[in-house]
Amino acid sequence: MIITYKNGREYDLDYDDKAHSYKVDGIKVPSVTRVVDGCFPKNLTDWALSIGEEEYHNIINEALDIGNYTHEWIESYINEQPFNATTNPSIKAFLNWEKVKNLEWLSSERKIYCDRFKYAGTVDAVAKINGRVCVIDFKTSKKFYKPYHLQVTAYAQAIKRIDGL
């Protein structure tokens, strides 16, 4: 896909879904997630050892299933596409959040490339909230973690540059 900046510059962004990797003009660039993980290692080893390998995989797989399902449902919702859904707590929380905001959805699952810092990524959603353009990254975790702030800031930096905001 071609990413076109407001100033006219264009970059050919290629995303490999299976490898979750990006190339820009044929050169591999790190994803926002990879950069953030490098700054904030997950350090799950002690916890995983305390509960055992089988239980660790069960918990991680369940969390991934919930997150993936919720993201797919929200993407379909924003794009006004039908999606067979059973309401789960994450979707209820999203709908309650959306209800209290003055939202105008602009995009979902938007691919970005920051030419200044040479990283790429996929932004969950962009919306105008109370007249301001906001980058949104949906999380299904029980709390906010420090890496989330860096992740959203990286997405916002790229969108500001691309859209000339």
Side-chain angles (χ1 to χ4, degrees), residues 47-138:
W47 170 71
L49 289 172
S50 74
I51 62 171
E53 183 178 5
E54 185 177 338
E55 184 63 13
Y56 166 79
H57 287 294
N58 289 339
I59 291 169
I60 293 298
N61 288 334
E62 182 180 353
L64 286 171
D65 288 346
I66 291 168
N68 290 336
Y69 178 84
T70 301
H71 275 78
E72 288 174 18
W73 187 93
I74 292 171
E75 180 184 3
S76 295
Y77 177 86
I78 291 170
N79 293 320
E80 299 176 350
Q81 298 171 344
F83 191 90
N84 293 332
T86 56
T87 304
N88 67 27
S90 298
I91 292 171
K92 285 181 182 178
F94 165 78
L95 292 171
N96 289 335
W97 171 79
E98 185 194 41
K99 197 182 306 182
V100 300
K101 300 293 179 185
N102 181 16
L103 281 180
E104 175 191 345
W105 294 111
L106 301 177
S107 65
S108 70
E109 296 300 311
R110 180 178 174 183
K111 302 288 189 252
I112 56 93
Y113 170 64
C114 183
D115 61 350
R116 181 174 181 192
F117 297 111
K118 311 290 187 237
Y119 60 80
T122 303
V123 179
D124 287 349
V126 179
K128 279 191 179 178
I129 301 176
N130 299 321
R132 293 181 62 206
V133 175
C134 297
V135 173
I136 302 165
D137 194 74
F138 301 110

